[in-house]
Amino acid sequence: MSAAGSLLAVLPAASVLLLTIAAKPRGTSPLAPSRLAAVRAALLTGAYAVLVVEVLGALHALTRPAFVVAWLLFLVAAGTAVALRRRRDTPATPAAAATPQPVPVGAAVPAGATPDTPAPAVDHGPVGGREAAPVQPNRVRARLLARATESWRTAGRGERLLAGGIGGLVLVELLIALLAEPNNFDSQTYHLPKVEHWVAQGDLDFWPTAIHRQVTIPPGAEYLLLHLRLLTGGDALHNLVQWAAGVLCLLVAARITAQLGGGRRAQLITAFVLASTPMVALQATSTQTDLVCAAWVACAATLALDGLRRRTGWGTVLGLGAATGLTAVTKTSGLIAVGPLLVLWGLAQLRLALADRASATEAVGRTADAGSAAVGSTAGRARPVFRVVTGSVLILAVAALVVGPFLARVTAEFGHPLGPPRLRESIPMERHDPASILVNALRIGHTAFDTPIAPLRTAGADAIIGGAEAIGVDPQDRAITFGREVFPVPAWYPDEDRVAFPIAGSVALLGALVALVRPRRIDPAQVGPLRAYAVVVLAAVLLHTSMIKWQPWGNRLILYALVLAVPLAGRWLDALLRRHADRTPEPAHPGRRRRSVAAGAVVVVLATSALAGVLALSYGFPRRLVGSGSVFTTSDWDTRFLRRPEWADEFRWAAAAVRESGARRIGLVERNDDWEYPWWLLLRQPDGGSPDLVSLQSVLPERPPADPASVDAIVCTGSQPTCAKLVPAGWRLEFRDYVGYALPPGR
């Protein structure tokens, strides 16, 4: 990455920081306003990034200058927003600034205040409670430093350990993300080749390919990678997209905990459990897409929860639409959770609107005659419903604006917005009878809660297989099982694609069940929100298990549900500690002994979770700190091939022969799961431009492959017989175990 590329990469980061300042709620703010501002900035930036790609792609202008101009304009707009915010927030007199007045419950909203202004809320401390009125931007740094210092001074030893652990994990993940080259398996096959195709052709048009996932899988995360690719000229910063998504997940999960009534300790427990989950720690250093999807789902969740207690303003409605669209364009499975969240939001808004209207009608009725009151009541009931319906339509409209262009291209190409039949039938469940759904859910749960204890894994799998056969379901049925995979598989090892999460998953599930059945044991003042949120989380899990087939790497597909559920775990674990602190003084009291055991169990859970997170970052695969394959001792090229080290020299051997031949137009021969990305790196032009790579196969009916006679050389991966069938007569074919090449006579 060049120095210029490093400077240009600052543009998106600077824009997000400025927007976070500009988007902070004014006046009497909701819970954790700084985190809410970060959510708003992330959604606005994400939607802008997607729309820039779509617009420039339609103009055939996916070029570095065009993206630089787009980000400069966005940075100027963000800076202008901060300046305008500063002007609005500058108090007229020192006295006015010193005595900000909260808005009383039921009072009219003052001029200039946002519709999101809530009723007074309980202060949850320096981390999760309400904050004072916004300050001028030039005082933001001092204000944040003062708050951090005060929070650290007033925190207990346990809270400091939790905060330090979270910060340490995030910083180590950042280090690995910066040092390690992208080496995720799917990224070598379709995530990163997709980006390179866009750069090479300058637009988003589909291309002939043997790997259908390059064009059929939603490209939202790759859109973000495309920005970094064009700004920096390479992939050195690609891992930062998932790292930033992981940080956003931590911030939003902690805010959800605050919205459910959790104080500082509960929020720290939530963030700590999530940060130390091996799947989260490993994906935060990769070019996968699951954390990006989880971040957008979490943003939708926190905005929806804001609507439980106050009427939602149009800005938040737009945010919900952006979160929905970004989820859909990143990973459609995330909509399984977004749907119930939007239903919860809609019902809450309708309840609040009807309650407000009923209060207003009652007030009018005291002074109006009986006839006019009846008319007013009828009209009053209609207006709240209309407002909620209008908001819902606006959410869908914004979502369609974000994801619509991609769906339109897919529909035009395959006649269906969800892609070709092979995609629609490979991942979604094809049987929906209760017995099949039960077996699928049990298998997903077995893989998600897997541990290194082999006898436990074997006993659980045997019980599931035996139970499935007893109720007449084949546990390996292709209608409920992805591809040719066979249940069970070990999933405990810290591998980014399949690692289980028994600790976080167990406490999240228990927290959700307690919140659903006995929410008063968590917080008597938050019974309604806790139970409603638990219903949404459990509904998302049940929908996922009834819609998505079991597969060995299914744990990462359900990561969005884990991120949503962990706040319930944080609230429950904090409640156990709180009951321990409030125990009765009698030394032999049985309740005291039970609470002491519960508190000890919480400490064990957190310590074990910390150990799991540290081991995942130290020895996880395919990026680790120590041992064979360490990011400190492994070369850049070998790091890319840690999944398949035997292929590293083969790719270099074939690429060297093709370069020496002087070939310009190069044909690709590959299978659906073969690696394509190394060719884009090895065969780049001397000036750094994209190579002219064309596929000699195509699974797209309307996109015929290139004629082998039209290329100067052929590179092959995977199958020598397949390659030999496409090599023109008289060409020289050389092939090793996985990689080969073919050249015409005289080259």
Side-chain angles (χ1 to χ4, degrees):
M1 182 175 61
S2 64
S6 301
L7 292 175
L8 292 176
V10 174
L11 294 176
S15 299
V16 171
L17 291 176
L18 289 174
L19 285 176
T20 301
I21 297 173
K24 192 171 182 181
R26 299 194 302 272
T28 305
S29 58
L31 291 174
S34 295
R35 277 169 274 173
L36 176 58
V39 168
R40 292 173 173 176
L43 291 173
L44 181 57
T45 305
Y48 178 79
V50 169
L51 294 177
V52 164
V53 172
E54 291 290 357
V55 171
L56 295 181
L59 298 174
H60 305 280
L62 297 181
T63 62
R64 188 181 197 183
F67 274 66
V68 171
V69 170
W71 280 109
L72 286 174
L73 292 175
F74 193 63
L75 182 64
V76 170
T80 303
V82 170
L84 293 175
R85 173 65 182 267
R86 179 179 181 180
R87 181 178 302 175
R88 288 196 301 267
D89 290 343
T90 300
T93 64
T99 57
Q101 298 297 320
V103 180
V105 180
V109 178
T114 62
D116 281 349
T117 301
V122 178
D123 191 345
H124 292 279
V127 172
R130 293 184 300 153
E131 301 177 24
V135 297
Q136 298 179 14
N138 59 353
R139 297 170 53 195
V140 169
R141 182 180 302 176
R143 174 70 178 273
L144 292 177
L145 180 60
R147 287 179 54 204
T149 302
E150 178 64 15
S151 296
W152 186 262
R153 187 185 65 81
T154 59
R157 180 181 302 176
E159 292 175 344
R160 292 182 181 182
L161 286 174
L162 291 171
I166 296 166
L169 290 169
V170 169
L171 290 177
V172 172
E173 291 164 6
L174 175 61
L175 176 65
I176 297 175
L178 291 172
L179 292 178
E181 303 295 321
N183 60 0
N184 174 263
F185 194 102
D186 284 347
S187 295
Q188 306 283 3
T189 300
Y190 70 95
H191 289 311
L192 300 186
K194 186 186 302 186
V195 174
E196 295 300 326
H197 276 287
W198 294 332
V199 174
Q201 62 191 32
D203 57 40
L204 300 174
D205 291 344
F206 292 160
W207 53 89
T209 179
I211 304 174
H212 77 87
R213 292 176 295 174
Q214 291 183 357
V215 296
T216 57
I217 298 293
E222 291 89 340
Y223 281 174
L224 304 181
L225 293 177
L226 176 61
H227 286 268
L228 289 178
R229 168 65 176 86
L230 287 172
L231 291 176
T232 67
D235 60 12
L237 300 183
H238 279 8
N239 292 332
L240 293 186
V241 170
Q242 280 263 106
W243 178 82
V247 172
L248 183 59
C249 284
L250 298 181
L251 293 175
V252 178
R255 184 172 192 267
I256 291 173
T257 306
Q259 291 172 292
L260 297 176
R264 179 168 61 189
R265 185 176 61 189
Q267 296 173 53
L268 288 171
I269 291 174
T270 295
F272 183 83
V273 171
L274 189 59
S276 57
T277 301
M279 176 66 76
V280 174
L282 291 171
Q283 285 230 4
T285 65
S286 80
T287 47
Q288 263 293 6
T289 62
D290 304 286
L291 269 180
V292 178
C293 173
W296 299 137
V297 173
C299 288
T302 194
L303 293 180
L305 285 177
D306 276 341
L308 293 186
R309 292 188 176 91
R310 68 175 188 274
R311 299 281 292 276
T312 298
W314 295 114
T316 300
V317 169
L318 294 176
L320 283 169
T324 303
L326 288 169
T327 300
V329 81
T330 301
K331 220 174 186 71
T332 51
S333 57
L335 295 176
I336 294 173
V338 173
L341 286 168
L342 293 180
V343 171
L344 174 64
W345 170 84
L347 293 175
Q349 289 296 291
L350 186 60
R351 177 182 61 83
L352 291 173
L354 292 176
D356 291 348
R357 182 56 60 186
S359 299
T361 302
E362 182 180 354
V364 172
R366 297 191 184 100
T367 56
D369 60 84
S372 62
V375 173
S377 177
T378 303
R381 284 194 295 269
R383 282 193 292 271
V385 175
F386 177 77
R387 178 183 174 87
V388 174
V389 171
T390 302
S392 302
V393 172
L394 183 58
I395 290 173
L396 296 178
V398 174
L401 178 65
V402 175
V403 72
F406 169 72
L407 293 181
R409 289 193 299 274
V410 173
T411 303
E413 189 72 31
F414 301 104
H416 195 286
L418 298 181
R422 65 184 301 176
L423 178 63
R424 303 198 304 271
E425 297 168 1
S426 61
I427 297 178
M429 287 273 285
E430 298 177 81
R431 290 181 56 178
H432 296 91
D433 55 286
S436 296
I437 293 175
L438 175 62
V439 171
N440 192 56
L442 291 174
R443 294 183 307 166
I444 290 175
H446 181 274
T447 305
F449 292 94
D450 189 25
T451 70
I453 306 173
L456 182 61
R457 179 190 315 118
T458 302
D462 290 343
I464 293 173
I465 292 173
E469 293 173 347
I471 61 177
V473 177
D474 179 4
Q476 314 301 345
D477 186 355
R478 296 303 103 189
I480 61 174
T481 305
F482 180 85
R484 300 179 181 179
E485 305 301 327
V486 177
F487 173 83
V489 296
W492 64 268
Y493 186 78
D495 183 307
E496 67 172 356
D497 283 338
R498 63 174 63 187
V499 62
F501 32 81
I503 300 173
S506 296
V507 295
L509 180 60
L510 290 173
L513 292 176
V514 173
L516 179 67
V517 178
R518 304 189 68 178
R520 292 185 180 276
R521 293 185 64 84
I522 297 177
D523 191 342
Q526 300 288 332
V527 171
L530 284 169
R531 181 168 284 159
Y533 189 70
V535 168
V536 168
V537 169
L538 293 174
V541 173
L542 293 175
L543 287 172
H544 184 99
T545 57
S546 63
M547 298 174 66
I548 306 296
K549 295 178 179 178
W550 174 87
Q551 49 191 284
W553 41 89
N555 288 342
R556 63 181 181 81
L557 300 184
I558 204 170
L559 183 59
Y560 69 89
L562 178 70
V563 172
L564 289 185
V566 167
L568 293 172
R571 285 251 54 202
W572 176 56
L573 294 176
D574 179 65
L576 293 178
L577 293 175
R578 186 174 64 250
R579 287 199 296 272
H580 171 70
D582 298 338
R583 64 183 182 271
T584 56
E586 294 81 359
H589 195 282
R592 175 178 180 177
R593 289 195 296 270
R594 289 195 297 270
R595 286 187 285 268
S596 297
V597 171
V602 172
V603 174
V604 171
V605 166
L606 294 178
T608 308
S609 183
L611 179 62
V614 170
L615 291 177
L617 290 176
S618 300
Y619 298 100
F621 196 74
R623 291 166 303 280
R624 56 176 52 165
L625 289 174
V626 298
S628 176
S630 167
V631 293
F632 297 114
T633 60
T634 309
S635 68
D636 293 348
W637 186 251
D638 289 336
T639 298
R640 297 180 184 275
F641 286 85
L642 284 175
R643 285 283 186 191
R644 297 291 187 271
E646 65 275 14
W647 295 350
D649 290 337
E650 292 191 24
F651 272 99
R652 276 180 164 172
W653 160 76
V658 171
R659 287 198 308 269
E660 291 173 2
S661 72
R664 294 184 176 275
R665 182 176 167 86
I666 303 165
L668 284 172
V669 179
E670 55 197 1
R671 298 169 301 182
N672 184 58
D673 207 30
D674 286 329
W675 287 17
E676 180 182 313
Y677 186 59
W679 299 126
W680 291 96
L681 298 174
L682 291 168
L683 298 175
R684 281 191 180 178
Q685 302 295 333
D687 61 356
S690 299
D692 187 6
L693 293 176
V694 295
S695 179
L696 303 185
Q697 307 147 285
S698 180
V699 294
L700 279 66
E702 305 299 324
R703 309 274 175 175
D707 185 349
S710 68
V711 300
D712 304 323
I714 297 175
V715 292
C716 309
T717 51
S719 172
Q720 181 174 359
T722 301
C723 184
K725 291 179 182 178
L726 293 171
V727 173
W731 283 39
R732 174 170 59 92
L733 173 62
E734 300 284 345
F735 209 97
R736 291 188 177 178
D737 291 336
Y738 181 74
V739 176
Y741 69 91
L743 296 173
R747 286 186 179 268

